[in-house]
Amino acid sequence: MSPAAGPGRRPGASGSREDILTAARAAFARDGFGGASVRSIARDAGVDQSLIHHFFGTKQQLLLAAVAFPIDPAVALPPLLAGDRGSLGERLAAFYLGVLEQPATRAPAIALLQAATTNAQAAGLLRAFIGEQVVGRLVAALDMPDAALRATLVGAQLVGTAVVRYIIRVEPLASAAPQTVIAALAPTLQRYLTGPL
């Protein structure tokens, strides 16, 4: 006679992790990061919210998994933002190009950008991710009255560069050396960050 089933996961394959990601993508796209709750995502996925914490840890980590972005801004951005504000544009340009020049990190980032241009849910998901994880951190670091506008201008410049260089592949930008692109981007980013608008 087999022992009675106890608490824990049911034996066999479980789609709970994918169900959570599907529910999270829909919630973040619909409600944004601030409006989506772990409780509502768990309800929509048909799981206990403790399972979300088990698989993903925090709500921020769940967003990162839902977006499938290749880097964690919570880890990558603080060192970039902690340095001298006068060279922040160059550091951001170098970091961004560094991510996109590596095939392993470029592929998921470009896939997300492509999806966001044709799919409303993907666009909402990317908006939630950028707003919370990137723009929010940059705004806090700038600590200026117009910091949100400055941060979104930086984002627009970087996203536009990615689209033209890696998706549409317009020459000569598509084949320009990364250092050339960084040198061209850095002053514009720096003006958005600290100069007159």
Side-chain angles (χ1 to χ4, degrees):
M1 184 168 150
S2 63
R9 289 183 55 188
R10 293 187 306 272
S14 169
S16 296
R17 190 174 195 284
E18 275 309 310
D19 292 343
I20 291 167
L21 286 172
T22 299
R25 288 181 185 113
F28 290 135
R30 180 185 62 243
D31 305 325
F33 182 81
S37 71
V38 171
R39 180 184 309 254
S40 68
I41 292 168
R43 183 188 64 240
D44 293 348
V47 300
D48 187 271
Q49 65 185 52
S50 65
L51 195 57
I52 293 177
H53 296 296
H54 169 75
F55 281 134
F56 302 102
T58 66
K59 184 173 153 184
Q60 288 86 355
Q61 291 167 318
L62 175 59
L63 176 63
L64 190 66
V67 171
F69 202 71
I71 55 139
D72 184 351
V75 174
L77 289 181
L80 288 173
L81 300 176
D84 174 46
R85 194 181 282 184
S87 59
L88 181 54
E90 183 176 356
R91 291 195 307 276
L92 285 174
F95 173 76
Y96 187 70
L97 262 288
V99 168
L100 292 178
E101 284 298 307
Q102 300 301 316
T105 49
R106 178 177 57 235
I110 294 303
L112 183 59
L113 281 176
Q114 288 175 309
T117 62
T118 59
N119 179 282
Q121 183 179 10
L125 194 57
L126 184 59
R127 186 170 41 253
F129 173 75
I130 290 174
E132 176 66 25
Q133 298 296 309
V134 180
V135 171
R137 294 175 195 284
L138 191 49
V139 167
L142 290 176
D143 191 28
M144 301 165 74
D146 54 359
L149 176 59
R150 290 174 180 278
T152 53
L153 285 168
V154 167
Q157 188 73 38
L158 293 175
V159 168
T161 298
V163 169
V164 174
R165 180 173 170 85
Y166 301 101
I167 296 175
I168 303 172
R169 301 199 48 79
V170 176
E171 292 294 352
L173 181 59
S175 60
Q179 289 298 29
T180 301
V181 179
I182 292 166
L185 276 177
T188 300
L189 298 182
Q190 192 63 47
R191 183 177 66 80
Y192 286 155
L193 292 165
T194 59
L197 293 179

